[in-house]
Amino acid sequence: MPDVNEEQLVRAVARGDRAAFEELYRRTSPWLAVRLRRRCADEQIVAEVMQETYLAVWRAAGSFAGAAVDGTAVGWLWTIAARRLVDAFRRRAHQARPVPVAETAPAAEDEVLAGALSDDVGGALRDLAPELRQVLQAMVLDGLSVRETAVLLGLPEGTVKTRARRARIAMREALS
């Protein structure tokens, strides 16, 4: 299925196509696992979230709106996974067991981005407040919409828009 994109795969999954589901899993699970591990160091939680995410995809593929609402299949998948990760954190909080948070070592994509960009741009990115950098990363690097970013970060959409604007202004000022 190399000529089929992820949105078409989700549509086929909605019709009960197991081969499409397997292909969607093959294409997206490595990327999704890495993204989840960046946000949670507990492999058991990551495995649970992965399983819950793909089960939800199988069950809810018919509700995927896709390009009709300016969404992507990968963004939709990440939104499901982010919600499941938040649910897992909440379950663990209720059980009074601390959840190990991923170490704060810079992510590979942050290092590549900083290395690929000029010293000025890389420095400006590093100097951004963490909450602004998170929004910028989700929207620019990950290509998520405002709504998807809001779900991922657990913030209201208005806050995401404000932080994105503040990040752009800070970057513009740092580079001028």
Side-chain angles (χ1 to χ4, degrees), residues 21-138:
F21 180 77
E22 290 170 5
E23 179 65 15
L24 181 68
Y25 181 83
R26 186 190 64 74
R27 287 185 191 183
T28 59
S29 64
W31 165 84
L32 185 60
V34 168
R35 296 272 322 259
L36 290 169
R37 285 185 190 110
R38 285 189 52 217
R39 286 157 178 81
C40 177
D42 187 328
E43 283 296 321
Q44 182 180 358
I45 290 177
V46 170
E48 289 172 15
V49 169
M50 291 282 293
Q51 183 175 8
E52 291 173 10
T53 298
Y54 284 100
L55 180 60
V57 166
W58 177 256
R59 290 179 176 166
S63 69
F64 172 63
V69 293
D70 293 328
T72 64
V74 173
W76 179 70
L77 185 73
W78 175 244
T79 300
I80 292 170
R83 287 179 180 162
R84 296 302 186 272
L85 185 60
V86 169
D87 291 345
F89 285 155
R90 287 181 181 152
R91 281 193 304 269
R92 293 289 167 111
H94 287 288
Q95 296 170 356
R97 290 191 315 197
V99 175
V101 177
E103 294 182 22
T104 59
E109 62 190 24
D110 293 335
E111 290 177 6
V112 168
L113 180 65
L117 300 174
S118 71
D119 289 336
D120 294 339
V121 175
L125 280 172
R126 284 187 295 275
D127 292 343
L128 277 178
E131 67 272 7
L132 300 181
R133 195 175 325 113
Q134 283 180 327
V135 169
L136 196 63
Q137 177 183 349

